Amino acid sequence: MVSRVIPVDPFDLVIFGGTGDLAQRKILPALFRRYCAGQWPADVQIIGAARGNHSPDKFREIVARSLHEHVPNRSKDTETLSGFLQRINYVPLDAMSENGWANLAGRLKDDRIRAFYFSVGPSLFGPLAERIRAHDMVTKHTRIVVEKPFGHDLDSARTLNATLAAHFDEGQIYRIDHYLGKETVQNLMVVRFGNMLFEPLWNSQYVDHIQITVAETVGIDGREEYYERSGAMRDMVQNHLMQLLCLIAMEPPAKFDPDAVRDEKLKVIRALDPVEPHHIVRGQFAPGPDGLGYREVVGNPRSTTESYVALKAHISNWRWAGTPFYLRTGKRLVARSSVINVMFKDAPHSIFGEEAGRHANALSIRLQPNEGITLKVTIKEPGPGGMRLIDVPLDMSFAEALGPENQDPPDAYERLVMDVIRGNQTLFMRGDEVEAAWAWTDPVIAGWQARGDVPKPYESGSTGPGDAELLMKRDGRLWQGIKP
Ligand code: NAP
């Protein structure tokens, strides 16, 4: 099954921070893949902008090198690569001064989509917004894209929102959470609202609890300074895990339109109870056979920044009252795995007797790796020895089900950047959503600070601190395995 490509209208895209890591590793490779897919018209223009005094040819060389590294198979085709590079330009420019801005303004074409991607640190968002406005570059077709972290807490997120709102309408602001661009995350909504099978059971009457796990094997190398100020709660829970929680828990929106979806997500965040201190476990990876511990990596022997969080959340609304949501995320864990497990309740009565044991259905939605869905169902164990029950997986790997051309699902940035061009904000966070997520996160962090909380050490390559297991065991439950 080959996916259909719907061409977009001509556009100019300016990437502030075009020479930076994110632009080179994610944004430009995503644009290149969409170019290869034939999604662009001929006269698209992509302009990298940063302070470095590169010529356009030098910038094209930098981009070509990144594409060879990140899209090796397609960038070997020299004709395709040179077609893409012809559409790339570069303007040396400083967000903090007037240098380069008149040059940039002169290159943009009127009457076409114009997107400004802020692939720079958040302290530059305000200066960039002001200069885009001052140089009269805002048209009715203008969009801006901003990256995480969107604030460090509620106050800073409010300030950022106010800064952007001074220059752009909310309908022009695209706040990226790249988790929302992942195919399976979008599939969460389709599985729930496109099938009759699941939604009637999607509530506290039938669901015992839900687990959301985002486990990473990587550490924080190269991001030490940022991470030390952030920690897992700010870096992962406030945004990515919160977004997954919203999509799994929200009421059906009336339609798949930006405000309808985001209104429902916002209601979930606002219905979250404050997290009880004994319902949250912080961890920090310790030195182990496979490498340094967190404190050695950041060079701070007293660091109390968490590289792991597990918590139990409650959503106080009609649908979810009494069904806990367990969230966990961490660095340097045993496997890379992002998965949502919807754990259903046992059948109310077993006609097979005590010896048949307890069996409950579980729906696992794998976001990565091997995106797909598994439904655990109970069947009779084959053989003549009576009625013994076993659980078997009904397993659907999307790559297998959809055929070889879909082995390699599009990267989240491909979808999101094209949505910016199409003007579709459904998969982007609205300002009030971000603020509500910080309003829930801030008291947790403030509580740690007030109590002088020190994260529990855990071994690199493990499943996290033992206390996270206890969090579940106290409730008579178990985490599902991290290893896919
Ligand atoms: P980076 O590698 O440090 O790149 C920063 C870019 O900004 C460079 O191109 C730099 O070039 C440019 N820049 C710095 N100061 C500037 C100024 N005054 N005027 C114009 N350009 C300026 O950072 P990054 O990793 O790409 O991250 C960019 C943003 O995305 C950050 O907010 C980060 O938190 C966020 N983010 C990054 C990732 C990732 O995987 N890297 C993931 C999610 C979010 P010059 O020095 O030549 O000006």
Side-chain angles (χ1 to χ4, degrees):
M1 189 190 308
V2 181
S3 52
R4 246 172 352 118
V5 173
I6 302 168
V8 295
D9 292 333
F11 62 90
D12 286 347
L13 170 65
V14 179
I15 308 176
F16 296 111
T19 52
D21 177 67
L22 180 71
Q24 295 293 322
R25 218 163 36 81
K26 288 289 179 188
I27 307 169
L28 285 153
L31 286 162
F32 179 56
R33 288 200 194 91
R34 289 295 89 206
Y35 171 79
C36 294
Q39 196 159 15
W40 296 1
D43 55 346
V44 159
Q45 177 179 218
I46 294 168
I47 302 175
R51 288 169 304 179
N53 196 19
H54 310 296
S55 66
D57 276 341
K58 177 70 196 168
F59 182 63
R60 287 182 199 114
E61 253 175 55
I62 297 171
V63 175
R65 254 202 315 273
S66 295
L67 297 180
H68 283 310
E69 187 180 342
H70 299 293
V71 201
N73 49 351
R74 290 178 185 168
S75 56
K76 277 194 203 108
D77 178 345
T78 46
E79 201 179 318
T80 309
L81 181 61
S82 103
F84 177 75
L85 294 176
Q86 275 166 28
R87 289 161 173 83
I88 303 269
N89 216 327
Y90 182 78
V91 171
L93 163 155
D94 187 351
M96 301 304 287
S97 78
E98 280 304 302
N99 289 347
W101 285 89
N103 182 6
L104 177 65
R107 285 172 191 274
L108 300 178
K109 300 187 184 154
D110 291 332
D111 292 332
R112 57 153 49 183
I113 296 160
R114 186 178 280 188
F116 296 101
Y117 201 125
F118 292 12
S119 184
V120 293
S123 62
L124 297 182
F125 291 0
L128 286 177
E130 272 163 34
R131 291 204 157 78
I132 290 170
R133 174 63 73 184
H135 285 268
D136 218 8
M137 288 192 260
V138 184
T139 66
K140 65 177 191 276
H141 302 298
T142 295
R143 287 120 215 212
I144 63 156
V145 187
V146 292
E147 271 289 343
K148 88 164 203 188
F150 198 84
H152 184 72
D153 53 18
L154 178 58
D155 282 349
S156 54
R158 277 191 180 139
T159 306
L160 263 183
N161 274 337
T163 304
L164 296 180
H167 303 284
F168 304 98
D169 297 335
E170 182 61 33
Q172 294 178 304
I173 303 171
Y174 291 69
R175 294 177 194 77
I176 285 212
D177 183 322
H178 73 271
Y179 263 63
L180 292 178
K182 289 178 187 286
E183 278 287 299
T184 320
V185 174
Q186 294 161 54
N187 236 329
L188 264 178
M189 284 183 275
V190 181
V191 166
R192 281 193 63 193
F193 305 128
N195 294 288
M196 198 50 208
L197 198 58
F198 300 114
E199 197 49 27
L201 306 179
W202 214 260
N203 56 55
S204 59
Q205 195 182 343
Y206 299 103
V207 176
D208 178 71
H209 72 280
I210 291 180
Q211 304 182 9
I212 301 178
T213 297
V214 177
E216 298 179 288
T217 50
V218 292
I220 53 155
D221 303 354
R223 303 168 68 211
E224 293 85 352
E225 204 187 312
Y226 157 76
Y227 201 88
E228 183 59 354
R229 278 181 284 113
S230 165
M233 193 71 191
R234 289 190 172 98
D235 186 50
M236 296 296 290
V237 179
Q238 184 272 345
N239 38 62
H240 305 320
L241 277 85
M242 177 67 81
Q243 290 296 320
L244 298 178
L245 173 73
C246 286
L247 294 180
I248 206 90
M250 72 184 183
E251 296 301 315
K255 50 189 171 181
F256 189 62
D257 110 347
D259 279 327
V261 171
R262 296 184 301 176
D263 285 348
E264 294 307 334
K265 282 162 53 193
L266 181 62
K267 285 185 209 161
V268 173
I269 306 175
R270 289 192 173 152
L272 276 168
D273 289 347
V275 185
E276 303 276 346
H278 60 288
H279 286 168
I280 187 157
V281 176
R282 294 168 89 206
Q284 192 185 62
F285 61 83
D290 62 338
L292 299 175
Y294 180 89
R295 291 177 174 185
E296 288 75 30
V297 174
V298 295
N300 176 4
R302 280 192 238 285
S303 171
T304 56
T305 301
E306 77 286 352
S307 60
Y308 178 99
V309 171
L311 64 86
K312 175 160 78 162
H314 283 285
I315 300 173
S316 279
N317 66 13
W318 193 282
R319 183 187 285 260
W320 293 119
T323 295
F325 287 71
Y326 297 92
L327 277 51
R328 67 176 163 168
T329 182
K331 303 273 180 208
R332 297 284 291 274
L333 295 178
V334 62
R336 171 174 171 261
S337 166
S338 299
V339 59
I340 299 170
N341 291 296
V342 181
M343 311 300 292
F344 290 92
K345 291 185 173 170
D346 292 354
H349 164 70
S350 171
I351 64 168
F352 306 107
E354 290 274 302
E355 63 280 11
R358 295 179 59 192
H359 296 270
N361 300 118
L363 179 72
S364 297
I365 303 157
R366 294 186 302 276
L367 311 178
Q368 64 187 24
N370 185 19
E371 301 187 315
I373 289 180
T374 304
L375 180 64
K376 189 178 84 177
V377 291
T378 305
I379 61 163
K380 177 187 172 298
E381 191 178 318
M387 269 302 188
R388 291 188 306 271
L389 307 190
I390 52 165
D391 296 327
V392 292
L394 278 181
D395 200 350
M396 189 182 79
S397 148
F398 292 159
E400 275 171 33
L402 300 175
E405 4 13 297
N406 289 287
Q407 292 287 331
D408 191 14
D411 181 79
Y413 279 88
E414 290 180 56
R415 166 74 197 235
L416 295 175
V417 176
M418 287 299 107
D419 274 0
V420 172
I421 303 303
R422 279 188 284 257
N424 185 345
Q425 287 185 305
T426 311
L427 300 177
F428 297 83
M429 293 178 296
R430 214 169 49 192
D432 50 3
E433 251 185 278
V434 176
E435 289 184 15
W438 280 120
W440 179 78
T441 310
D442 276 2
V444 173
I445 297 170
W448 289 335
Q449 285 164 352
R451 293 191 298 278
D453 190 89
V454 178
K456 301 278 186 302
Y458 62 93
E459 207 179 307
S460 287
S462 69
T463 55
D467 282 16
E469 304 296 331
L470 286 180
L471 177 74
M472 278 287 202
K473 278 196 185 137
R474 280 202 303 260
D475 295 344
R477 298 181 174 116
L478 285 173
W479 289 109
Q480 298 299 293
I482 286 183
K483 270 199 170 160

